[in-house]
Amino acid sequence: MLGTFTYQNATKLYFGAGALENLAGELSHYGPVVQLIYGGGSIKKNGIYEKVCGILRKNGKTIVEDPGVMPNPTVEKLREGVKIAREHKVDLLLAVGGGSCCDYAKAVSVSVFCDEDPWDKYYLRFEEPDCAIVPVGCILTMAGTGSEMNAGAVITNREQKLKIGHVFGPEVMPKFSVLDPVFTYSLPKRQMVAGVYDIFNHICEQFFCGTDDNVSDYLAEGLMRSVIRNSLVALDDPENYEARSNLMWAATWALNTLIAQGKNGGDWMVHMIGQAVGAYTDATHGMTLAAVSGAYYRFILPYGIEKFKRFATEVWKISPAGKTDEELALAGLAAMEDWMKKLGLCMDLRALGATPEMIEGIADATVLLDGGYRPLSREDVVRVLTESF
Ligand code: NZQ
Ligand code: ZN
């Protein structure tokens, strides 16, 4: 563990079956007007909407509706949400949904009292908020992004074909999040597995970097093993509470900054390429990551061979006997890809509706970071994308 860091996590979590009963207590800390943020209607079908509205009404809150947050929330929707918050002078932004609703709520929170356009300020110029921030609470219905306990907010600008994440400071983290694994039962299988791979890849992004002996890597290995095991249980038995509960908890810890400590920023190139793919295809986030992972990891493997060997032996329990270093490292990746196929993830870009003509544009839209074992050039990104078809 060689890093120097300050660790703080500002979000209070209520976890487990029935955790929503804690909402009333939290509501007492905020004023009367609540902007109720949700997506395309899943919460109306599974009954969560009625439960939440009942608690809000019982606690004397005025509900300001803000529905229609789409997967990969757009800058137009963000501007609409800011307008609603301003018009009604809301006291709390309550997101009920997956990462898209939670991210959107955070983006609205830093924009309500900001005079500039949020896209330009936070996503193009990467400035930090210098205004009051409206508090955010989350009621999570999908395990995956970790948005319930982090300060990330990813927004898509379809016109500019850019999908960009801003990781804000702790003041933008949700003040509280309610995590009831039962709420995830109604997720379509495709969304569930996309979330599973999102969790797994968040861990990979922080594991495949650095060469020091680091507590974060041991935590990462345990989380990965739990995700592998429980994803297969939930695949066969979607209402298995134990599996859903483990996935939900692992998702939170995969990206709430804990395993980022001492990791010098992490790799994050699968996410950078995946986000650029998302900007072009509007595909489900976890699927974009799955489609480019194989090609990306094979490309960087020679530069991080020790960590890839460790991935094979510690995460996938592959015996090193009789294998060269490269064979062992590749066997780990092959095991990961077998598991991904078993889950039914999209394993190439064609499956997402992308075409080879998009490669140059996606490469242009990819933010290049240098925290991984082999910093990529634009040409390297083109190569990874080409091998992902
Ligand atoms: O919109 P509704 O009708 O609610 O349906 C949603 C949506 O269609 C559905 N869903 C969610 N919970 C459900 C459910 N359907 C039935 N039952 C339930 N219980 O699932 C679909 C996807 O939801 P979404 O919120 O888009 O998924 P996810 O949680 O994967 O969030 C994706 C967004 O988060 C960003 C992604 O880029 C993407 O924009 N990310 C945020 C991160 C962060 N804050 O740190 C990190 C991630 O890497 C990621 O980039
Ligand atoms: Zn992700």
Side-chain angles (χ1 to χ4, degrees):
M1 198 82 180
L2 297 180
T4 311
F5 52 83
T6 304
Y7 183 68
Q8 179 190 0
N9 196 305
T11 305
K12 181 169 187 177
L13 294 181
Y14 296 102
F15 188 90
L20 191 62
E21 69 188 26
N22 296 290
L23 178 61
E26 279 298 327
L27 291 176
S28 67
H29 304 313
Y30 305 97
V33 187
V34 177
Q35 184 162 335
L36 184 63
I37 291 167
Y38 56 99
S42 71
I43 62 164
K44 291 199 170 166
K45 290 195 200 108
N46 58 25
I48 297 172
Y49 174 85
E50 266 317 310
K51 282 187 193 153
V52 172
C53 287
I55 296 170
L56 289 171
R57 280 193 291 265
K58 206 170 157 198
N59 287 273
K61 303 295 176 185
T62 302
I63 301 171
V64 176
E65 289 269 335
D66 184 5
V69 178
M70 61 293 284
N72 310 321
T74 62
V75 67
E76 289 79 15
K77 179 63 191 162
L78 167 59
R79 292 182 188 126
E80 189 186 306
V82 171
K83 199 161 164 258
I84 295 171
R86 285 179 183 162
E87 265 173 30
H88 296 271
K89 296 188 170 49
V90 304
D91 298 301
L92 174 70
L93 299 162
L94 186 62
V96 189
S100 292
C101 288
C102 302
D103 278 21
Y104 165 85
K106 286 180 247 177
V108 171
S109 80
V110 293
S111 306
V112 178
F113 294 106
C114 173
D115 296 333
E116 297 156 84
D117 182 72
W119 175 257
D120 293 347
K121 181 178 174 69
Y122 298 126
Y123 294 92
L124 293 182
R125 300 201 303 273
F126 269 91
E127 291 174 17
E128 294 311 316
D130 43 18
C131 57
I133 297 167
V134 182
V136 169
C138 299
I139 297 168
L140 195 67
T141 65
M142 166 161 174
T145 65
S147 187
E148 66 276 12
M149 203 185 195
N150 70 36
V154 184
I155 296 294
T156 296
N157 187 320
R158 287 186 186 157
E159 200 187 318
Q160 295 177 10
K161 286 201 162 33
L162 290 173
K163 180 178 181 184
I164 297 178
H166 187 136
V167 181
F168 292 95
E171 67 283 1
V172 181
M173 287 186 176
K175 299 289 175 246
F176 65 91
S177 285
V178 173
L179 277 61
D180 183 338
V182 176
F183 287 1
T184 68
Y185 285 180
S186 57
L187 266 173
K189 201 163 264 189
R190 191 185 149 84
Q191 291 295 345
M192 182 191 89
V193 298
V196 163
Y197 190 68
D198 193 23
I199 306 169
F200 191 83
N201 192 256
H202 292 157
I203 308 168
C204 290
E205 299 279 28
Q206 298 162 95
F207 183 72
F208 288 117
C209 59
T211 51
D212 56 322
D213 187 72
N214 192 314
V215 172
S216 292
D217 289 337
Y218 296 90
L219 295 171
E221 286 162 6
L223 286 170
M224 283 194 267
R225 287 170 53 201
S226 169
V227 172
I228 296 161
R229 181 189 144 79
N230 289 289
S231 62
L232 295 172
V233 175
L235 188 68
D236 281 347
D237 181 9
E239 300 202 0
N240 184 304
Y241 180 82
E242 191 177 73
R244 286 305 188 115
S245 166
N246 280 325
L247 288 172
M248 200 171 212
W249 193 232
T252 302
W253 289 90
L255 196 54
N256 70 354
T257 75
L258 176 78
I259 64 165
Q261 303 310 322
K263 298 297 299 193
N264 210 14
D267 177 342
W268 293 106
M269 278 314 297
V270 169
H271 269 69
M272 293 305 104
I273 301 172
Q275 276 176 207
V277 169
Y280 271 73
T281 61
D282 201 27
T284 302
H285 171 65
M287 293 300 188
T288 65
L289 308 176
V292 300
S293 282
Y296 174 73
Y297 287 125
R298 262 186 291 278
F299 184 71
I300 65 159
L301 180 141
Y303 308 93
I305 194 97
E306 288 305 318
K307 191 56 78 62
F308 280 94
K309 280 164 55 190
R310 182 168 162 176
F311 183 64
T313 57
E314 303 309 311
V315 177
W316 297 100
K317 302 293 167 197
I318 295 168
S319 164
K323 295 184 185 67
T324 64
D325 285 359
E326 195 190 1
E327 283 166 354
L328 179 58
L330 285 170
L333 284 189
M336 179 181 85
E337 288 181 309
D338 283 349
W339 166 69
M340 292 167 73
K341 284 179 199 156
K342 227 178 266 176
L343 292 180
L345 290 161
C346 296
M347 300 300 285
D348 61 61
L349 287 171
R350 226 173 275 278
L352 303 179
T355 59
E357 292 70 45
M358 292 179 184
I359 288 178
E360 295 295 327
I362 295 173
D364 286 338
T366 301
V367 177
L368 300 176
L369 303 174
D370 60 5
Y373 288 122
R374 164 75 148 87
L376 263 55
S377 66
R378 185 187 173 284
E379 286 62 45
D380 296 332
V381 174
V382 168
R383 189 173 146 185
V384 169
L385 288 166
T386 306
E387 285 169 11
S388 300
F389 274 96

